[in-house]
Amino acid sequence: MAKTLVLYYSATNTTKRIAEQVAQKLNAEIAEIHPAQAYTVADLNWHDESSRTTVEQHEHNRRVDIKDDLPDITNYDNIVIGHPIWWAIPPRMISTVIDHLDLNGKNLALFATSGGTNYERSQSYVERTIDENGYDTKVNQGAILNNPRQIDGWIDSLNFESSRR
């Protein structure tokens, strides 16, 4: 049976709740992604043009440091990464995560939580990061997931070897 790992970053626990549901439905292990410097409420204020997240998200090809606590993915076949959407793309630390994982030969799928966008720009962003790293990996179509119906539909669309409960 295929082994699946769900990695997620959640600033407000919204993505965490969805990641836990995805992991349970995929019979997957789960681990949290941690930025090297935690985000404060002020950092997350997207109305403030000088807030940390606003500045980070608008710097092209920016990488945001993460803690060196990602799990070893050697024994996993499928990797799922969950994240919020900030300015129509994943937080810049998601590129850093992809840079740090050896995704060669893995099935990769990403999902996001968002109240106001689709996954198109995020998909392009992720695929560009995969290409920059030269990985030979299958990138499944990502999706915005906010409820159990969306989760089930997305999981059914994944090209994963069977690991679902």
Side-chain angles (χ1 to χ4, degrees):
M1 181 185 290
K3 281 190 75 178
T4 302
L5 174 66
V6 175
L7 295 170
Y8 72 91
Y9 171 69
S10 188
T12 63
N13 288 328
T14 301
T15 304
K16 177 182 180 179
R17 285 190 296 276
I18 298 295
E20 289 170 345
Q21 293 173 49
V22 167
Q24 192 235 353
K25 289 175 181 284
L26 288 173
N27 193 27
E29 295 180 28
I30 189 168
E32 186 172 1
I33 298 163
H34 301 101
Q37 178 185 349
Y39 288 93
T40 66
V41 172
D43 292 338
L44 297 170
N45 182 358
W46 60 277
H47 295 289
D48 179 356
E49 291 182 14
S50 65
S51 75
R52 177 178 164 201
T53 54
T54 302
V55 171
E56 288 174 354
Q57 290 301 100
H58 289 91
E59 290 182 14
H60 187 65
N61 287 334
R62 169 84 184 245
R63 297 299 200 258
V64 172
D65 291 338
I66 58 172
K67 287 187 179 177
D68 186 21
D69 62 355
L70 292 174
D72 178 0
I73 66 166
T74 305
N75 295 319
Y76 294 97
D77 305 293
N78 307 314
I79 306 297
V80 176
I81 301 175
H83 58 84
I85 297 274
W86 293 349
W87 291 268
I89 60 173
R92 296 289 181 170
M93 79 182 83
I94 299 304
S95 289
T96 308
V97 170
I98 292 170
D99 293 345
H100 283 77
L101 298 175
D102 179 359
L103 294 170
N104 286 307
K106 307 292 183 190
N107 285 315
L108 177 65
L110 291 94
F111 71 87
T113 53
S114 175
T117 191
N118 60 37
Y119 205 79
E120 287 179 34
R121 283 191 58 203
S122 292
Q123 186 79 21
S124 295
Y125 177 87
V126 167
E127 289 175 355
R128 185 171 51 252
T129 304
I130 293 293
D131 289 345
E132 289 170 358
N133 280 283
Y135 291 136
D136 176 20
T137 188
K138 163 73 175 143
V139 182
N140 290 266
Q141 178 60 50
I144 301 297
L145 304 178
N146 293 310
N147 62 56
R149 182 183 51 76
Q150 291 172 328
I151 294 169
D152 289 341
W154 179 69
I155 287 174
D156 288 344
S157 77
L158 296 178
N159 186 26
F160 279 7
E161 292 182 36
S162 179
S163 61
R164 189 172 181 182
R165 281 187 187 178

